[in-house]
Amino acid sequence: MNVLCSALILSAQKIYLFIFIIIGGLCTALARSVTMSYSNHSMGSGSRTARRTFEFGRTHVVRPKGKHQATIVWLHGLGDNGSSWSQLLENLPLPNIKWICPTAPTRPVAVLGGFPCTAWFDVGELSDDGPDDLDGLDASAAHIANLLSTEPADVKLGVGGFSMGAATALYSATCYAQGKYGNNSPYPVNLKTVVGLSGWLPGSRSLRNKIEGSHEAARRAASLPIMLCHGMNDDVVAYNYGERSAHCLSSAGFRYLTFKAYDGLGHYTVPKEMDEVCTWLTGRLGLEGCHS
């Protein structure tokens, strides 16, 4: 471990995060299998001249066991992959939901001292204080929208995630409200629900002005149900970041927002939290035929 620490030249906090990911079995730097790709060119040039290409890993799909009423793209956390969450989601008592679990691109991540892991965007710190990687965020949001774009017209669409996946889901929510990505290309999907567990809100500093500057954006923001959950003992993405994200969304006009705090919960999920997510999704999406 001393050799590893020396090689990565990480601070104590970054070393802790790296160890957390490795011990949790989440780091998939060796999982290079690529089945899908995305280029900013497909979204139009927007205001940027440089283009970056992002390679996405394998997408896992959990088919609905009952009538197909909703499709939700679920996003894993830093260093994880779509497979681990697909196994958990398959066992939830939500037979009317189709779950799509993509895998993020493998890229160097600043918070890990440049170590390559699966990540939806680059990040220097797991909070809402650092600079935003808009290219990475736009690419991931567009990938999510592309996965949802072929779903049947009568199926309700949503996005959710854990940790960095939650941050990306919330960024997608802001793109939906504004009707465009950060590079001003149109956002094509009509979202009906967003869930974020143990995450934070990218782009929070300028969100309120962007939403208040457009009547249509304010209307979409006010009508989008969002559920945020955060453990009060989270030592990876601090609880106050989740709380501030909820406040920022609410003050920007996202009025259909539920925030759940869990005493004693760290940076992981527990059955109680997932049970409340199931209950919330059932009510907000009007699902039928759900069982316990």
Side-chain angles (χ1 to χ4, degrees):
M1 183 59 70
N2 288 336
V3 174
L4 177 62
C5 294
S6 176
L8 294 178
I9 319 177
L10 300 177
S11 66
Q13 180 181 6
K14 293 177 182 177
I15 292 171
Y16 173 82
L17 177 59
F18 179 78
I19 294 173
F20 172 85
I21 292 172
I22 294 294
I23 293 177
L26 302 180
C27 193
T28 55
L30 298 179
R32 309 282 186 176
S33 175
V34 174
T35 59
M36 300 185 71
S37 65
Y38 165 81
S39 170
N40 275 358
H41 179 67
S42 65
M43 287 170 54
S45 59
S47 60
R48 299 189 180 96
T49 55
R51 292 170 183 166
R52 295 166 59 192
T53 298
F54 299 90
E55 302 291 338
F56 289 83
R58 182 179 176 184
T59 296
H60 300 261
V61 177
V62 178
R63 303 288 177 183
K65 300 176 179 66
K67 179 182 177 182
H68 184 192
Q69 294 181 279
T71 296
I72 297 177
V73 172
W74 190 270
L75 308 172
H76 61 75
L78 176 64
D80 203 355
N81 59 63
S83 175
S84 60
W85 274 96
S86 69
Q87 296 171 40
L88 184 152
L89 296 169
E90 187 170 17
N91 294 316
L92 294 182
L94 295 170
N96 305 113
I97 294 181
K98 172 184 175 181
W99 300 95
I100 302 177
C101 303
T103 299
T106 296
R107 70 180 82 199
V109 180
V111 74
L112 299 180
F115 189 87
C117 270
T118 51
W120 299 110
F121 54 94
D122 191 19
V123 60
E125 57 181 282
L126 300 190
S127 75
D128 55 0
D129 289 332
D132 296 313
D133 172 20
L134 288 180
D135 279 344
L137 284 162
D138 279 348
S140 292
H143 186 65
I144 296 162
N146 184 57
L147 291 171
L148 290 171
S149 64
T150 57
E151 291 301 292
D154 62 340
V155 168
K156 297 174 181 177
L157 307 178
V159 58
F162 173 79
S163 192
M164 177 179 273
T168 309
L170 293 179
Y171 182 76
S172 294
T174 64
C175 290
Y176 162 73
Q178 296 173 74
K180 60 185 179 180
Y181 297 99
N183 71 350
N184 292 320
S185 296
Y187 185 80
V189 175
N190 184 21
L191 292 180
K192 292 295 184 181
T193 190
V194 176
V195 177
L197 310 181
S198 306
W200 71 96
L201 175 64
S204 61
R205 293 177 294 275
S206 60
L207 180 60
R208 182 172 180 175
N209 289 338
K210 291 178 179 178
I211 298 298
E212 290 181 345
S214 166
H215 176 75
E216 187 62 21
R219 183 192 66 79
R220 282 192 293 262
S223 65
L224 179 63
I226 299 177
M227 182 180 192
L228 301 181
C229 302
H230 215 109
M232 299 183 72
N233 286 19
D234 194 327
D235 49 6
V236 177
V237 180
Y239 170 78
N240 67 298
Y241 290 134
E243 190 175 45
R244 280 162 50 184
S245 296
H247 175 74
C248 179
L249 286 165
S250 180
S251 64
F254 289 84
R255 309 192 187 286
Y256 209 174
L257 186 143
T258 299
F259 181 73
K260 294 275 188 177
Y262 294 86
D263 187 25
L265 179 64
H267 198 64
Y268 48 85
T269 60
V270 291
K272 178 182 178 182
E273 181 182 35
M274 297 311 298
D275 287 346
E276 293 189 344
V277 169
C278 289
T279 300
W280 187 85
L281 284 172
T282 299
R284 296 302 178 270
L285 294 175
L287 302 179
E288 56 189 64
C290 294
H291 54 81
S292 57

